[in-house]
Amino acid sequence: ITGTGSSATTVAIVDAYGYTNAASDLAAYRSVMGQTACTIANGCLKIVNQSGGSKLPKVNTGWDQEQALDLDMVSTMCPGCKILLVQATTPSFANLGAAVNYAAAHAQVVSNSYGGGENGSSGYEADYNHAGVAVTASAGDSGYGAAFPATSPHVIAVGGTSLNWNGTTRTETVWSGTGSGCSAIYGKPTWQHDPLCTTRMEADVSAVADPNTGVAVYGPGNGGRSGWLVFGGTSVAAPLIGGIYGETNNMSTCANNPKTGTVGCASTLYANPSALNDITSGNNGNCGNPTTYFCTAGPGYDGPTGLGTPHGSGAF
């Protein structure tokens, strides 16, 4: 992916709890990476609570690290984009959903690096239905099994891969920790046509996620002092893909489909599979006998990596 993106595009990041050093840690990362400053003072960075207010939630180190990761990955893919960090009071579906609703009203892209079981999620699925907004969601980091909000028909569900370089040779396979699966609750979008799952299938697309070859992040260590860390998981992949949507700034395909009521952002991926790297090997668990594409990669669509990984920005 090349380019810088436009300051006319805002990528929102939704997480939980406060993060006192968000602005200074982001400044340190961007300085080392040779990116232009993205600060509150210059209008590039804005940090709010789930209602858009300035009174931020209490701090939580684990979620602070998540926020540092998300901020840095969005910056990596779209250094010219504005960033809106929305901090939910707690990581409940209700509070995170409220944060997503605020974010979607003030950004073109919303990145979500969290997930949980589908049970009890149906009352919050509408929080992820936003015409004209690209909403990404992590597929999960516990191996085979469906997770919400990635199973919402209104999001781009992002799986994870392991990416290794040997000289000029690239090898990319399924990351064993990525989530995938056939939803027990949500209906199948019109743009998804895999043969064995009659409901929403997770994922749609994927990006690097293996912590063994993780990404550099500047954020708080377990002792609270900021420094360089290495992270993996689909929490890497979701903001990377969100940043690419910000880079392309083409959300015209995300309008509501009047026949189905679904948002069409992910449909662009399914219309352009040749613009993605097809991942054909690896698995993320046991999904029955015989093993199916629900947990095993192969030519074309599969659950763990969706349609593949970015090859330029054409699919977006």
Side-chain angles (χ1 to χ4, degrees), residues 152-180:
S152 163
H154 299 110
V155 309
I156 301 106
V158 186
T161 63
S162 295
L163 176 63
N164 291 280
W165 289 86
N166 182 10
T168 59
T169 302
R170 184 191 70 181
T171 303
E172 193 167 17
T173 63
V174 173
W175 173 51
S176 61
T178 189
S180 68

Side-chain angles (χ1 to χ4, degrees), residues 188-233:
K188 198 162 202 69
T190 56
W191 33 262
Q192 203 171 42
H193 303 291
D194 57 294
L196 300 180
C197 175
T198 59
T199 55
R200 168 66 158 130
M201 186 69 196
E202 173 197 350
D204 298 314
V205 68
S206 52
V208 63
D210 190 341
N212 292 312
T213 53
V215 297
V217 171
Y218 194 87
N222 291 330
R225 179 177 294 180
S226 294
W228 287 100
L229 307 164
V230 177
F231 289 129

Side-chain angles (χ1 to χ4, degrees), residues 26-36 72-73 75-76 79 215-218 228:
L26 178 62
Y29 177 86
R30 291 178 68 106
S31 176
V32 170
M33 296 301 171
Q35 299 169 358
T36 57
D72 293 355
M73 293 306 98
S75 292
T76 296
V215 297
V217 171
Y218 194 87
W228 287 100

Side-chain angles (χ1 to χ4, degrees), residues 246-303:
E247 173 70 35
T248 59
N249 191 23
N250 180 23
M251 269 56 78
S252 60
T253 59
C254 302
N256 275 334
N257 182 324
K259 293 183 179 180
T260 63
T262 60
V263 172
C265 241
S267 66
T268 307
L269 302 172
Y270 288 81
N272 297 282
S274 63
L276 296 162
N277 296 309
D278 188 11
I279 310 304
T280 59
S281 64
N283 69 83
N284 64 344
N286 182 2
C287 51
N289 188 18
T291 298
T292 70
Y293 67 89
F294 285 25
C295 66
T296 303
Y301 178 85
D302 58 72

Side-chain angles (χ1 to χ4, degrees), residues 11 22-28 30-31 35-47 71 74-75 78-84:
V11 178
S24 59
D25 287 352
L26 178 62
R30 291 178 68 106
S31 176
Q35 299 169 358
T36 57
C38 183
T39 67
I40 294 171
N42 69 15
C44 175
L45 176 65
K46 186 174 182 179
I47 305 173
L71 288 165
V74 168
S75 292
C78 194
C81 288
K82 291 181 178 177
I83 300 176
L84 171 63

Side-chain angles (χ1 to χ4, degrees), residues 93 114-119 121 137-152 155 157 179-183 186 200 202:
F93 280 149
Y114 55 84
E118 288 190 300
N119 288 343
S121 68
S138 298
D141 298 338
S142 300
Y144 174 66
F148 179 82
T151 52
S152 163
V155 309
S180 68
C182 186
S183 175
Y186 301 109
R200 168 66 158 130
E202 173 197 350

